[in-house]
Amino acid sequence: MSDPSPNTEEIVPKVDQVNDESSKEEEVTVDNLNISETAAAPQQVAAEVVKSDEDEDERSDATSDDEPEKNTQELENVINELQTSFKEQQQNQKESVKSNNNNNEEEQLHSGDDDSRVHSDDDDNESKQNDNDTSTTVSVEEDKLDEQVKENIQTFDELVEDISPPTPGVPPTRQFETGRPSEDVGDVESYSANLIALNKIDTKEIKANHLSPRQQEKADEPVLRAIRHLFNNRFMKAKKLFEKQAESDPLHALGLGSMAFLKAVMTTDEAMTKNAVDVLTTTYTIANAQIDAATKKSVGDSVLQYMTSYYKYIKFARSSGGLPASPKPATMKSIHKDGITFAPNGVLRAHVAKAESCLQIAILQLLQENVMGYIKCGMNLRRAYASYSLVWQEYKRMGQLHNDFIDRDTISGIQFGIGAVHLVLSTLPQKILRIVSAFGWKADKHLGFALLKLCLEERRIRSPMASLMLLAYYTTLTSLCPQILANEYTQPAIETLLDAQRTYPNSAFFLYFAGRTSRLARNLTLSTQSFTYAIEISKNEWAEVEVLHACSYEIGFNHMMQHNWDEASKVFDTLFKDRYWSPAIFRYLTGACLDMMGHRTEAILAYAEVPQLVGSKTHSTSLVEKYVLRKVTGFQESGYQDMSMSLCALEYLCLFTGFDFMDAELLDHSLATVDRALVEVRDAEKTEFGIRTRELLPDTPAPQYYDQRGALLLIKSSLFNAMGRYNESIIHLNWIIDHKEHIQLDKWIVPFAFWEAGVTSWGMDNKERSRSFWETALTFSKYDFEYRLALRVNLAITKAEELGIPKPVKPSEANRYNAIKKEQQQKEQEGDSIQNRQSSDQVRLSISEEVAA
């Protein structure tokens, strides 16, 4: 299913075509060079500009790009093979669903029939009829989905007036220099330091920006070139261009801040995160200083207007449905007649840079996964949206004349900012939103998609960041609940990669996301290949170490899913020695892989090092370390005698949704491994119960293997769900839910069991039941990976809401009392028969109920 967001061509009104009779050739002279330009569509002009600039970049950067054609070909091959893999995966899923339906029909038709040959003709006819019914049902469902998509598109058309001005007006003529400034070919060694920092800024020295929109676009061309360098792996050249005016210009400073932001996101290292926040905070200060310098010298109507716009944001933002209030657009007549003025372009540009600094800081604070980080995130999101709202209202007030008063990079900055805010907020569960408490309106992810795609298509400074934001949503968040979202967002991810590949054919950032997207398509070999390309292409550059570590972890995770335990252990051991992320976690993963290979002694030695390595200062990392430490402590308390009852590697794959990307043969192998571990649990219980039959009050305590059995049954249920064998997971999930009070150490097992119960019901087409289980999972708290599961559940519930699945109604206290009383009476009448019991909390699964549904 394709992305539900509308085509941007439907949102933005088409530019009036220039009449053939009025089109004239214009002679433009730049540096004594005559260039003949004919009137053309703005997209063609922009394409020619990009092509011309890229050609010049290739000439100036020939020393840094020795094999551009090879890299381009590699990325093209990855994307082409990815498309093929996704189509094959969809076909296999359809065949698997059909096969499961046929198997279920055969079981129902032939169960209890001793003489099947007598009724073979009747069975064949009935089977054919069932196939016809099945195909009819599928076609009806597809028609419903098509109608729903059309309805979504219609709702997006209603947003046209809010997203773009009444008419776009006439785009400005693109002016650019044909000669390449020498700064791009200059010596980069003086800028080779990996540290990104802005020196102490004297805000009194920062002057107001009085450039017109066209002058500003020309002045910002070095920033556009720097962005091309950044996303073509020429990091040091990008850094050099950004540093030229970083201490006086907010957009140049923001470029440096964005580089630090990308590195911090890749590493999740506390020092890197602090450095990025410091640079972005300095950028915020520079932008504020430039705004102050302009307002002190211009205290007329324009300042009054943008101050008024700020208060309008405060007053109307909560009732605007997620978009800032849109004032009435001005016309040329009203401008001359009423003397309408607008805030200067330099002020609007600085506001957008200030807002984007707050947005990136907020994302970094969100990734910290702690309460204080969420509170700070909310504060910075409100700051960002206040500035975005101010500029948006000025932009809307300009109407069709906006090109005369605001530059295109500032417009694309608004689209990126508001779209990103909506997309980020739409992913957050209520647990986090209550802490963030950012806005009074509900975020609209479809509006976020639309605005980011508008920004992307403009091919301006923010376009590649918009692509990264979309890919992060499509891949990273989809991987949290692939069975619910993978079919919907894998194809849009591929399309976004194809679009990015045309402009940045060998970008390490997009190769990384190509690897994540290949994993969604269950092509782990291609995924590993993409990560390897990203590593190779980033060597000897600014982000070499960060790309190496981030991609190496993904490669190791792929090896785990392919049961290449030896290769995975080597990768994790290397990351442990490099002290990447958390040495404790990688030592634990090394031991888990060694244990799966049967190297128990080496695994125990690796586990023994974990307690001394725990101590990460990053909260998100410390959460995983607590889980790892508790697992190892449990092994140590039992003298490592219970290791055969735990499958740490498969448990890690279960927690991070690795089963959904494995092929059927490896899933079967994993099931056999879980069954062997369950036999170990049963044998231990028999041994300990045997002692109690021979000795009175023995020293050996009663067997307590609820945590071990619960974890194994959860893994088994997750494997069955990944294989589409939903019926077989029911009995195991029921055991976990029935014994939830006895599971004391691994408290995460029960809420994750409710998540899997929702997936089981979803696969059995009982979506209302799914939502009920997911809502129940959200009622648990204070367990490992709580916010990760809450995020996963929120994405699934959002999908359920889009399909019109109602929220389960909580019974009132009176109704609950009556239901309990009625249940007690039934138990008394029926002799408390186990077969006739009903769960009063409505959380148990029932095979008969699900099949009937």
Side-chain angles (χ1 to χ4, degrees), residues 268 367-370 581 585 618-625:
T268 65
L367 295 177
Q368 294 176 5
E369 298 185 25
N370 59 36
W581 190 32
I585 295 173
T618 304
H619 188 78
S620 59
T621 305
S622 65
L623 292 176
V624 185
E625 286 187 348

Side-chain angles (χ1 to χ4, degrees), residues 551-754:
C551 292
S552 294
Y553 170 76
E554 300 295 344
I555 291 173
F557 194 61
N558 284 348
H559 285 316
M560 290 182 70
M561 288 184 281
Q562 293 175 307
H563 287 195
N564 295 332
W565 305 115
D566 186 30
E567 293 297 326
S569 65
K570 292 178 181 177
V571 171
F572 294 140
D573 186 58
T574 301
L575 291 172
F576 160 72
K577 293 176 180 177
D578 289 348
R579 290 298 188 265
Y580 170 64
W581 190 32
S582 166
I585 295 173
F586 286 121
R587 208 66 191 137
Y588 172 81
L589 290 176
T590 303
C593 294
L594 290 171
D595 190 38
M596 294 298 293
M597 297 165 59
H599 300 166
R600 180 62 55 85
T601 303
E602 292 86 344
I604 291 174
L605 292 174
Y607 287 148
E609 298 180 43
V610 171
Q612 289 75 32
L613 297 171
V614 170
S616 174
K617 296 180 181 179
T618 304
H619 188 78
S620 59
T621 305
S622 65
L623 292 176
V624 185
E625 286 187 348
K626 289 179 182 178
Y627 158 78
V628 166
L629 180 61
R630 186 166 53 255
K631 297 293 291 186
V632 172
T633 302
F635 291 152
Q636 292 177 340
E637 290 176 352
S638 66
Y640 294 100
Q641 298 300 311
D642 295 343
M643 283 184 62
S644 57
M645 304 179 195
S646 298
L647 300 172
C648 297
L650 294 184
E651 192 173 298
Y652 191 84
L653 288 175
C654 177
L655 287 167
F656 291 88
T657 62
F659 295 150
D660 295 282
F661 312 121
M662 293 165 56
D663 58 42
E665 182 180 353
L666 293 176
L667 291 173
D668 281 326
H669 187 271
S670 299
L671 274 176
T673 305
V674 174
D675 286 335
R676 288 194 295 271
L678 286 170
V679 170
E680 294 286 343
V681 175
R682 286 194 293 269
D683 290 344
E685 289 175 337
K686 287 180 181 179
T687 301
E688 296 182 13
F689 277 121
I691 296 174
R692 305 185 77 79
T693 61
R694 298 188 300 269
E695 298 180 20
L696 185 62
L697 299 177
D699 295 333
T700 306
Q704 298 286 336
Y705 295 114
Y706 293 103
D707 289 87
Q708 291 90 335
R709 188 189 296 274
L712 291 173
L713 291 179
L714 179 63
I715 294 172
K716 194 170 184 178
S717 301
S718 182
L719 287 167
F720 280 134
N721 284 340
M723 300 169 74
R725 294 158 60 178
Y726 304 107
N727 282 336
E728 298 178 57
S729 68
I730 292 176
I731 187 173
H732 308 303
L733 294 172
N734 275 336
W735 188 95
I736 296 173
I737 294 172
D738 289 340
H739 297 82
K740 58 179 179 291
E741 293 83 6
H742 299 285
I743 298 175
Q744 298 296 327
L745 297 178
D746 293 328
K747 294 184 180 296
W748 57 271
I749 293 176
V750 178
F752 273 80
F754 278 102

Side-chain angles (χ1 to χ4, degrees), residues 20 88 106 112 125 211 268 315 371 379 387 420 454-455 487 523 526 541 636 711 757 767 770 786 792 829:
D20 292 27
E88 291 177 355
E106 290 175 4
N125 294 333
L211 295 178
T268 65
K315 184 176 180 181
V371 175
M379 293 174 59
S387 290
L454 283 176
C455 175
N487 288 338
N523 192 333
L526 181 62
E541 267 292 353
Q636 292 177 340
K767 294 182 172 55
S770 294
E786 177 182 353
R792 184 188 302 183
Q829 294 173 0

Side-chain angles (χ1 to χ4, degrees), residues 139-154:
S139 62
V140 171
E141 292 294 329
E142 290 176 351
D143 292 340
K144 289 181 180 179
L145 288 174
D146 291 340
E147 291 176 2
Q148 193 169 17
V149 171
K150 291 179 181 178
E151 290 177 2
N152 286 337
I153 293 177
Q154 290 174 357

